[in-house]
Amino acid sequence: MADHLAVLNMPMEALKRSATVTSFDPLTLLPALAMGPSILAWSPRLDHLRARYTIARRFASLDHLSDGRAGWNLVTTSNPDAALNFGMDEQMEHAERYARAREFYDVVTACGIHGPTTPSSAMSSGKLFRSRQSSVLNHKGRYLKVRGPSTSPARSRAGR
Amino acid sequence: MVQAGASDAGRQLAAETAEVVFAAVARSKPAAPFMPM
């Protein structure tokens, strides 16, 4: 499922016939779709200018709601007009979009709280997560500054 | 982590992080760089 953050720069007559013109916000739509039983592959292309901690948190929650069927495109959109809808004057170059994605990957995969493996283990131990200290990421990179840990619950195997 | 796209930056990202890589190469010789070492 493609996300579109700006109307594509196409001839009007082509746009009138393009399904890309309208686009649900994926993080509103996906939880509703997650209630269905189908095997689905979701890959909305979320924009870098939405707070990436929030993207990671929402997908960690969606990972649970969908039983591990949620995913998103780590690299931001190549649509140059999308930047104009998010407070920027121009789109980033290709290499920079990938550099940001790489750093985003590091933060997303390192930021989780590691909870008990099962609810019953939480019941027996009385502890809701294993370790807090080791989850404090204190990431300060070129594009992101995230202390962590995430407040999202432990992820499924698919959610790493 | 699933990666698609054959730009240098995309392939570098795949080399560092991906578990699955989509590649559309019709002949074996140009496909070789996508194969595990």
Side-chain angles (χ1 to χ4, degrees), chain A residues 83-115:
Chain A
L84 307 181
N85 283 345
F86 288 84
M88 296 178 75
D89 293 326
E90 57 184 17
Q91 174 66 313
M92 290 175 295
E93 295 294 328
H94 182 275
E96 187 177 5
R97 289 191 289 115
Y98 273 80
R100 292 174 70 114
R102 184 67 183 84
E103 190 178 335
F104 192 15
Y105 172 89
D106 286 340
V107 173
V108 167
T109 53
C111 200
I113 277 183
H114 302 291

Side-chain angles (χ1 to χ4, degrees), chain B:
Chain B
M1 181 72 175
V2 180
Q3 189 271 344
S7 70
D8 286 346
R11 287 164 63 172
Q12 183 65 36
L13 183 66
E16 293 171 9
T17 67
E19 288 130 330
V20 176
V21 175
F22 283 108
V25 187
R27 294 177 180 278
S28 58
K29 197 170 179 182
F34 289 95
M35 301 295 286
M37 303 299 272

Side-chain angles (χ1 to χ4, degrees), chain A residues 40-54:
Chain A
L40 297 172
W42 296 322
S43 183
R45 177 166 267 204
L46 291 161
D47 193 81
H48 54 282
L49 294 167
R50 303 183 192 197
R52 281 169 285 176
Y53 181 89
T54 301

Side-chain angles (χ1 to χ4, degrees), chain A residues 10-31:
Chain A
M10 293 162 57
M12 185 54 71
E13 287 307 309
L15 273 179
K16 285 177 182 172
R17 294 163 175 80
S18 172
T20 64
V21 174
T22 55
S23 181
F24 268 88
D25 173 73
L27 285 165
T28 306
L29 179 63
L30 290 177

